[in-house]
């Protein structure tokens, strides 16, 4: 029976409460409230160890979190720890693997995955299997508590109208669905190994990663296969949920978790609490407390950053937001009011029934907040938020799809361009646009079912329970959503709280200016590895060849040499796209017949000066800084060793290509395979092992995507003047990107002056 008049406010007294999910958002708030406002309650918390961190250490970390800030300030750090030691027992492990106490009076089961789109097996393992193991553990312990099962209001699925506080009306067999979901992983893993899937992964990996070497291709293909498995399992969950009337696998599994609870504990004392969209606190432990970003927060932040020009949703749909402290108060009140055996109680905790907030109302409040408190835009001032017109889901989808196609085409075109500051500037813009579109796509797919909802969750039973709270204790223990002033909450409490971290980050970036180089630690077990061409000197193999070749012939023969080189360029470019080593081998054949002694004399007499003129000053400063810090400086290059003699004094170790010679004449062949792509990383790992170097603390500097394995071999990779492919990878991996430039005139001027001086002699 739903209470129709106030009666005595229930209390937990000296109950022993088992709390699961204590490290989560709602669990933290529940634990804090039990300790701060219910002094007679003893609490057992079930916490899994994480890596080398024990459950007890994780719990100790909880006491230092902001949720306990007010309590710490009121009673002091030492007293908080004393209370926790006296009243809280930490149980380490997972349900089903531990023995629970037999004297538990109340269970508040809040552990679950809150991701909307996990792989289907993960969602079922947590939200359904976790429920089953809880009741199995309670039966095994011989306990007979009142269980408060925390679910979600959205278990009602996709529907319209009023949803009552009652048992869900569906006939889905949770046992069958659980078995099939857990079996899906093996099925998809098997499918991922089919030849057509593997060949597709290999073809794409070769197209994108061939320059980085064969093992990079293999690793990328395997990553693609594993991503295919994950995406497929996510799609399994979404498709199965939607085929049965739920918007996503999260709400689907939460609904089946309820049904499992009813079957396994419904004959005892069971209450099911269904919160709506839980957001930051209204009052307790302090206004705006939140742990991480919740459902609405990524959209609020993205809108404030100007990257949500529109969003699919109905302007008049109800966005059922409820502050976390009201949910906690309601949950504890339910816990203190056990139902009769065999008659589970159901409680909706939301705002949509008594204090509805429309999607348009949410947008307008957030818009007004950012107009008064805009997000910083670095040196460009502040971000102006867009004006939404709510054109409808179809129009938003058309806009999004068109932008995705245009951005993808722009990226493909840029990846074919040579490396330059302008190319990287364009790549930055495309990368930013792609990131924004990925965000919009993800959240429009996930959330439009919630922003288009035409449903109200009846809360008559919950409101009747609220009316039992004495008037003088309503502020502390009440949970009536009608007290929420949405304008005040969204503009003065919630939005400032969720944007605080992002604003601090923007300030820390120094207004968008380039950050200073980090201070190099002084140590002798660290290496600093440098590529040559494009990283230290602004030249390449072709330019080095021209320096040598044109310097050794009269100007009258230059035209023929340049024309022959131009005819050969398509062949060299094909080799470069195929494999960096193929290009090096093919191009160095042009040195066939060169006199070794004359080449050395040429470098010492003229070309050494040309090389030094092409050195980038930032590179020299960086090399010297590493040497000053005691780091071992290493140069790895495919250039012929004779050409880098002028730079050898900068490095402790030089690894370069050596050409085969016979009777003082170059044959056009190499003495050994060139150190390119993965071979560089393999050499470095072997050298580090022999020399006792710590690669996890070492540095590498390179400009080409073929150097990706070398950069990945160290803990501090630096992409220097990167080509488009490396630039894209570096942005995705958050590597440091360096813009270094030569202090000389253009390459052609240096080349003409240098070889011209030689010819004049």
């Amino acid at each position: 029976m739903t209470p129709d008049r106030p009666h005595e406010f229930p209390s937990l007294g000296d109950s022993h409460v088992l709390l699961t999910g204590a490290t989560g958002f709602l669990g933290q708030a529940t634990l804090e409230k039990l300790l701060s406002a219910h002094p007679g309650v003893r609490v057992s918390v079930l916490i899994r160890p994480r890596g080398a961190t024990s459950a007890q250490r994780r719990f100790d970390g909880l006491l230092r979190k902001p949720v306990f800030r007010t309590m710490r300030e009121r009673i002091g750090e030492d007293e908080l720890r004393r209370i926790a030691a006296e009243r809280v027992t930490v149980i380490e492990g997972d349900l089903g693997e531990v023995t629970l106490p037999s004297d538990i009076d109340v269970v508040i089961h809040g552990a679950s995955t809150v991701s909307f789109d996990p792989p289907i097996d993960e969602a079922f393992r947590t939200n359904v299997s976790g429920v089953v193991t809880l009741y199995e553990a309670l039966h095994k312990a011989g306990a007979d508590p009142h269980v408060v099962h925390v679910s979600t209001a959205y278990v009602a699925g996709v529907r319209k109208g009023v949803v009552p506080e009652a048992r869900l009306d569906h006939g889905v067999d949770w046992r069958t669905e659980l078995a099939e979901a857990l079996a899906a992983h093996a099925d998809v893993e098997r499918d991922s190994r089919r030849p057509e899937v593997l060949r597709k992964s290999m073809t794409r990996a070769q197209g994108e990663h061939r320059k980085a070497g064969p093992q990079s291709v293999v690793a990328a293909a395997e990553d693609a296969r594993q991503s295919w498995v994950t995406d497929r399992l996510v799609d399994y969950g979404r498709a199965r949920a939607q085929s049965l009337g739920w918007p996503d696998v999260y709400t689907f599994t939460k609904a089946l978790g309820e049904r499992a609870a009813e079957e396994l504990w419904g004959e005892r004392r069971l209450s099911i609490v269904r919160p709506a969209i839980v957001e930051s606190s209204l009052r307790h432990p302090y206004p705006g407390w939140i742990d991480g970003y919740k459902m609405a927060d990524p959209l609020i932040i993205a809108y404030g950053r100007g990257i949500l020009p529109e969003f699919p949703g109905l302007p008049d749909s109800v966005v059922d937001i409820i502050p976390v402290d009201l949910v906690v108060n309601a949950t504890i009140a339910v816990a203190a009011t056990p139902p009769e055996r065999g008659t589970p109680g159901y409680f909706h905790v939301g705002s949509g029934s008594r204090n509805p907030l429309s999607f348009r109302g949410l947008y307008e409040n957030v818009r007004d907040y950012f107009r008064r408190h805009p997000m910083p835009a670095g040196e460009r001032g502040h971000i102006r938020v867009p004006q939404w017109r709510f054109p409808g889901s179809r129009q938003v989808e058309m806009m999004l799809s068109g932008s995705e196609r245009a951005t993808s085409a722009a990226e493909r075109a840029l990846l074919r361009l040579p490396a330059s500051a302008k190319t990287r500037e364009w790549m930055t813009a495309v990368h930013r646009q792609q990131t924004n579109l990925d965000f919009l796509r993800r959240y429009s797919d996930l959330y439009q079912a919630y922003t288009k909802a035409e449903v109200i969750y009846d809360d008559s039973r919950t409101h009747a329970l609220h009316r039992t709270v004495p008037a003088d204790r309503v502020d502390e223990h009440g949970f009536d959503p009608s007290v929420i002033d949405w304008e005040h909450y969204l503009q003065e409490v919630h939005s400032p709280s969720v944007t605080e971290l992002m604003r601090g980050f923007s300030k820390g970036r120094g207004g968008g200016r380039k950050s200073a180089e980090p201070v190099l630690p002084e140590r002798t077990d660290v290496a600093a590895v440098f590529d040559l061409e494009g990283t230290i000197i602004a030249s390449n193999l072709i330019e080095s060849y021209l320096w040598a070749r044109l310097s050794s012939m009269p100007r009258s023969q230059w035209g023929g040499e340049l024309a022959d080189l131009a005819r050969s360029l398509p062949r060299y470019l094909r080799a470069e796209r195929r494999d960096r080593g193929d290009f090096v081998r093919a191009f160095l054949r042009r040195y066939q017949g060169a006199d070794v002694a004359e080449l050395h004399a040429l470098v010492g007499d003229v070309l050494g000066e040309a090389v030094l003129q092409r050195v980038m000053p930032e590179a020299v400063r960086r090399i010297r800084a590493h040497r000053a810090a005691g780091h071992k400086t290493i140069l790895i290059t495919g250039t012929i060793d004779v050409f880098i003699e002028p730079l050898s004094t900068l490095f402790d170790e030089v690894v370069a290509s050596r050409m085969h010679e016979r009777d003082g004449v170059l044959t056009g062949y190499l003495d050994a395979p060139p150190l390119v792509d993965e071979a560089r990383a393999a050499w470095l790992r072997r050298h580090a092992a022999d020399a006792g170097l710590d690669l996890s603390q070492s540095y590498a500097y390179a400009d080409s995507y073929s150097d990706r394995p070398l950069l990945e071999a160290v803990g501090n990779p630096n992409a220097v003047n990167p080509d488009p492919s490396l630039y894209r990878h570096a942005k995705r991996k958050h590597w440091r990107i360096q813009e270094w430039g030569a202090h000389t005139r253009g390459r052609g001027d240096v080349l003409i002056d240098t070889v011209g001086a030689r010819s004049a002699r």
Side-chain angles (χ1 to χ4, degrees), residues 223-243:
D223 286 345
R225 186 196 67 80
Q226 292 176 0
S227 294
W228 187 89
V229 169
T230 299
D231 292 344
R232 189 76 167 165
L233 289 170
V234 169
D235 194 39
Y236 264 48
R238 184 184 299 119
R240 184 54 179 158
Q242 292 175 353
S243 73

Side-chain angles (χ1 to χ4, degrees), residues 65-107:
K65 297 193 74 170
V67 68
F68 285 99
R69 187 182 78 187
T70 302
M71 192 174 177
R72 280 197 305 269
E73 292 173 350
R74 187 179 77 249
I75 66 175
E77 178 82 23
D78 292 343
E79 180 63 10
L80 172 60
R81 295 200 171 278
R82 186 196 66 77
I83 290 173
E86 182 179 281
R87 294 175 51 197
V88 179
T89 300
V90 177
I91 303 173
E92 180 168 290
D94 277 308
L95 285 168
E97 300 175 356
V98 298
T99 300
L100 299 178
S102 61
D103 63 341
I104 300 171
D105 300 301
V106 175
V107 174

Side-chain angles (χ1 to χ4, degrees), residues 584 588 596 600 637-642 644-645 654-661 666-675:
V584 171
L588 292 184
V596 175
H600 277 277
T637 178
T639 300
I640 303 174
D641 53 1
V642 64
I644 59 175
E645 288 176 357
V654 174
V655 184
S657 295
R658 291 182 59 87
M659 294 201 69
H660 180 260
E661 60 180 86
L666 298 182
T667 64
Y669 295 97
L670 290 169
D671 263 344
L675 281 183

Side-chain angles (χ1 to χ4, degrees), residues 235-352:
D235 194 39
Y236 264 48
R238 184 184 299 119
R240 184 54 179 158
Q242 292 175 353
S243 73
L244 293 171
W246 281 274
D248 47 56
V249 73
Y250 167 69
T251 53
F252 176 41
T253 54
K254 292 294 282 186
L256 298 190
E258 280 194 19
R259 188 53 43 88
E262 291 162 347
E263 291 189 17
L264 298 173
W265 206 256
E267 294 302 315
R268 303 199 183 195
R269 292 170 297 165
L270 174 68
S271 296
I272 294 177
V273 174
R274 297 170 178 159
I277 301 171
V278 186
E279 291 289 352
S280 67
S281 60
L282 181 66
R283 299 190 183 105
H284 188 88
Y286 55 85
W289 173 77
I290 195 168
D291 185 67
Y293 294 139
K294 306 307 159 193
M295 178 175 172
D297 307 334
L299 300 184
I300 291 174
I301 293 170
Y303 178 76
R305 293 175 58 203
I307 63 176
L308 281 187
E310 286 288 352
F311 198 79
L314 301 173
D316 57 355
S317 67
V318 173
V319 183
D320 205 325
I321 289 175
I322 187 73
V324 63
D325 47 338
L326 301 192
V327 178
V328 168
N329 287 350
T331 301
I332 292 176
V334 169
T337 316
E340 295 181 6
R341 289 180 176 273
T343 58
Y346 300 86
F347 300 86
H348 287 149
V349 187
S351 59

